[in-house]
Amino acid sequence: MEDKKIKGIIFDCIGVFTENFKLVQFVKDYNKNSEKEDEAIKLMLGLWFKARVGEIDSNLFWTEQAKFHEVTVEEYKKSFTEYLGLRPKVITLAKGLAKNYKTAVLSNHIKDWFEDFLKANDLENTFDFLAPSYDLKVSKPDHKAYN
C-alpha cells in the first residue's frame, strides 16, 4: 500500500510569498521613457536570466538597471520590492507549516534580493532547505532544479 503522508512542502518565492511576479510588467510600469521600453525589457531579462543562475553577481543586475533608468540602486530596488508586494498570510502559513513538516524554498530569484527577503521577513531559519537557482546554477522549470 502506498504511503500517502505528506513528506515535505516546497514553496516557490515569487508569486507565492509575493503578490506580483511579472518582470516585464514591472519594467513597463517603471520605465519612464516609452521609446526605450523594448530596450529596458531586453536589458532586464538579459541580466535577470544570468543573475538568477549565478552567471553574474546580482549587484551588477541592480547597478545596470539603475543606470539605465537614471536612478540610484536603492531607488530601483525599493521600487522593485514594492512592486512585488508581500502576502503576509502565506508567510505566516509557511512558518506554521515549518513547525510540523519538512519545508523548502525553490526560487529563481537573484541572490541579494532573496537573501534580503528572507531576513526582512524573519524566514532565514524557517525552512529545512533553501534551493535558490543561483546556488543550483540552474533555474526552474529545468528538472535538475528539483533533484
Side-chain angles (χ1 to χ4, degrees), residues 8 28 30 35 42 47 53-54 56 60-62 64 66 79 89 93 96-97 106 108-109 113 117 135-136 141:
K28 287 179 177 182
Y30 190 79
E35 293 177 9
K42 184 178 178 180
L47 292 169
V53 293
I56 63 169
L60 179 63
F61 169 84
W62 299 114
E64 292 299 312
S79 294
K89 290 180 180 179
L93 174 67
L97 289 170
L106 179 60
N108 282 346
H109 221 300
W113 186 92
F117 168 81
D135 279 347
L136 300 173

Side-chain angles (χ1 to χ4, degrees), residues 17-147:
F17 294 127
T18 67
E19 295 172 343
N20 297 307
F21 60 93
K22 297 180 179 174
L23 297 177
V24 172
Q25 189 60 52
F26 169 75
V27 174
K28 287 179 177 182
D29 292 347
Y30 190 79
N31 187 40
K32 295 169 180 71
N33 184 344
S34 61
E35 293 177 9
K36 292 189 171 187
E37 184 174 277
D38 290 341
E39 187 180 349
I41 291 168
K42 184 178 178 180
L43 177 67
M44 160 68 103
L45 294 178
L47 292 169
W48 182 266
F49 291 144
K50 289 179 180 179
R52 74 180 186 175
V53 293
E55 289 180 12
I56 63 169
D57 187 278
S58 57
N59 289 315
L60 179 63
F61 169 84
W62 299 114
T63 302
E64 292 299 312
Q65 291 298 305
K67 185 167 52 171
F68 181 86
H69 293 286
E70 299 177 348
V71 296
T72 66
V73 170
E74 292 75 23
E75 288 174 293
Y76 190 81
K77 274 182 151 178
K78 183 176 186 251
S79 294
F80 185 78
T81 300
E82 287 174 356
Y83 167 79
L84 291 176
L86 285 179
R87 290 183 170 155
K89 290 180 180 179
V90 177
I91 292 171
T92 301
L93 174 67
K95 288 178 180 180
L97 289 170
K99 293 175 183 174
N100 298 307
Y101 296 96
K102 295 281 186 192
T103 56
V105 176
L106 179 60
S107 177
N108 282 346
H109 221 300
I110 63 176
K111 184 173 182 161
D112 68 331
W113 186 92
F114 183 65
E115 291 173 358
D116 289 350
F117 168 81
L118 293 173
K119 186 175 183 176
N121 293 286
D122 194 30
L123 292 168
E124 292 172 298
N125 299 308
T126 299
F127 303 99
D128 297 294
F129 188 72
L130 298 174
S133 56
Y134 56 83
D135 279 347
L136 300 173
K137 305 296 185 210
V138 65
S139 61
K140 301 175 293 169
D142 188 312
H143 72 279
K144 294 174 195 161
Y146 300 91
N147 293 334

